[in-house]
Amino acid sequence: MDRTKLKWMHHLSLLICGLTFSTYVIANTVEKPVNPVEIKFDQAGAVYNPQEAGYATIKVNDASLNKIKITILDANHKPVKKAKTYIVKENQVIFPFKIKDLGYYYLQITSDINSEKAEEGFGVIPNVTLTQKDWDSPFGICGHYQRYKDWRIGDIQKKLGIAWVRDESDWYGVVTKGLKSDPYLDYLDSKNICWLALFNYIDAFNGIQGADSIWRWDADLSILKKYVQMHKGHFSVYESQNEPNNFGGWSKRWPHPQNQQWRPQGWGKPFADLIKQMYDSVKSVDPTLKLMWPGEDEWIEYFVKERDAAPYIDITSIHPYVNKSIYPETEQFASGFYSEHKKMLQEELNVPTEMWVTEVGWTTYDRPDKIDRYVPVTEYEQAAYLVRTYLLHLYYGASKVFWYEMTDEPFGSQNPESYFGIVRYPSFSVKPSAVAYSNMVYNYRHAIPVGKYKGSSYGFAYENQGEPQLCIWREKDTAIETLFLPKTKKISVIDIFGREKTMKVSKGKIDLKIDIYPLTIKGIQKEDFKKLYQSK
């Protein structure tokens, strides 16, 4: 993605639902917004397990607010309990709470003085906390932990149960500063997070071409080799730089003849030289480490056919953003992308067919009047698309999927790059998508896809630890879906936030209202289940 370096922007307003108190103070003749009410949860990310005691500290900066009313709302903005009024003492209120049911919630603050509201979201999620590294998990996320130096992020990821993080490695700094180990890798190890090491960036302008016409980066690679020696066994896969057409100076030093930056003709030759040498250096230290090549457009085909890279490729990665489209299904992976691409990798190029989605996502930036590269979505649409994206790609052939990204970026609410995160910045409270992610981990970590749902809605059938499981949704509308279940007496229907409802089957069938939010259905008898899907 085009992560242009922009000036740091500080957000001083609450970010939920666009509702804020509007109070301003004048300092040096410049108006600066001040939050009359600030909400801070005691848990990093504002995520809790059922019945876990928590509290929110509500700081009241407006001296006119002597009393505030606090209400907990569910994801539908319906009160969970009756609102209570609290006396403000020493400019704050401590609000304790404990919720038994999974879901996404809001803490809403109102006053008797005006009708405006302040809200902050929080989640009650299943206990999916990482207790050890889960190398086999398909669930990953992109992070910029080292960029912001805010180490709460790892605690949030650990509690959400997201096994992998794709993040940059400061391999050069660790070695040249004489450190005994990489503090960041030590940190990830302490959180039981598996690391897809992104070895960024070897500067293209450091390359020297030899008499054999091969470009070399010997000094950089000797440092990288020392880094791998220092940390052998602490990571299993590394990625050979992110989008070289955008970063590291590759397309600047070796531009495409017609300035088609995404195409490898130009920068592809020296880049392939580097990655082949990287492969040899790293394998000499740890033969088990796998090297991932960027596989956008015709890149892999070019690297193999033009640069003889086949022996050096272990895994390929893709970034299937939908750009000006909006629905995950419009990429038409169902109509053959994975099968056709893997067939090309195997039969045409003779390279391994393992593919990882190392970036994909939807952004919740606030610019509906002027779309910039990506169609903005609501926070609830983002949550739905996250689940649909993972289940779609994992069904059709991806080994792992990494959402872009963990935390929002500080580029401003109208910048499309800002709000891909599942956690808000700088409040570090979870969006609905984070709660949906944790429930997806809980319900699908061990689910094996067995076929595609045969009804009019979209979805897949799974075997989950010996039990049938169905997931269905609509691409963009709402409809009634009838399931014919003559052998089944009742089913459990679970939404993406973990809210579960038991429903009775009447006269061998049941009608379900299906919309864009995937529903997980359990309890179907195996005889009925087999008739609901087309085998994979």
Side-chain angles (χ1 to χ4, degrees), residues 260-279:
Q260 297 182 36
Q261 188 176 329
W262 273 97
R263 304 191 67 186
Q265 290 79 9
W267 59 264
K269 177 187 183 304
F271 179 78
D273 289 346
L274 167 66
I275 307 309
K276 288 159 72 174
Q277 293 160 40
M278 181 187 290
Y279 180 96

Side-chain angles (χ1 to χ4, degrees), residues 423-435:
V423 176
R424 300 183 188 89
Y425 189 89
S427 70
F428 279 90
S429 62
V430 289
K431 293 181 182 178
S433 51
V435 175

